[in-house]
Amino acid sequence: EEKIRLACERYSVDYRIVLAIARLETGWFKSSAFLNQNNPGGLSRNEIPMSFSTQEEGVEVFVSNLKTNYFDKGLDSPSKIGTKYCPVNPQWASMVERLM
């Protein structure tokens, strides 16, 4: 969580939202993708979880992705982010909000 907080400070994004997304996507940092692939955000390509060499790399890609593809485009709340980040789950935004 501290690594995510520091990255959020560097990128000037809302730590509460980013941390809640990470908690949801990793089951509070217990998912296989996080534990074995250093993937704190549930990032995937073609439905296959992405793998990172270190947690720091995973956090960097996760937070920079949110900054560039969401926050910088005005998608700055769970409800706005959710329609793009997880369009298959209409409950995603409310789940993130509860974790905030």
Side-chain angles (χ1 to χ4, degrees):
E1 293 184 7
E2 180 66 6
K3 292 171 186 172
I4 292 172
R5 186 186 65 75
L6 293 171
C8 288
E9 285 180 8
R10 281 195 314 279
Y11 285 100
S12 297
V13 295
D14 188 333
Y15 168 69
R16 297 169 312 123
I17 293 173
V18 176
L19 182 60
I21 292 170
R23 287 175 174 166
L24 177 62
E25 295 295 333
T26 64
W28 286 80
F29 304 102
K30 294 178 183 171
S31 71
S32 175
F34 177 72
L35 295 173
N36 301 315
Q37 296 168 277
N38 298 309
N39 185 338
L43 300 175
S44 64
R45 284 198 181 114
N46 301 317
E47 302 300 319
I48 298 170
M50 296 171 67
S51 222
F52 302 100
S53 299
T54 64
Q55 283 185 4
E56 290 80 8
E57 180 188 11
V59 166
E60 187 69 20
V61 171
F62 171 54
V63 177
S64 67
N65 173 60
L66 285 170
K67 166 76 170 156
T68 302
N69 295 308
Y70 297 84
F71 287 99
D72 284 354
K73 296 182 178 188
L75 306 175
D76 56 1
S77 69
S79 60
K80 292 177 185 176
I81 292 168
T83 57
K84 181 177 177 183
Y85 198 91
C86 191
V88 298
N89 183 354
Q91 300 304 313
W92 186 91
S94 62
M95 293 165 71
V96 170
E97 288 169 352
R98 280 194 300 274
L99 291 171
M100 291 174 64

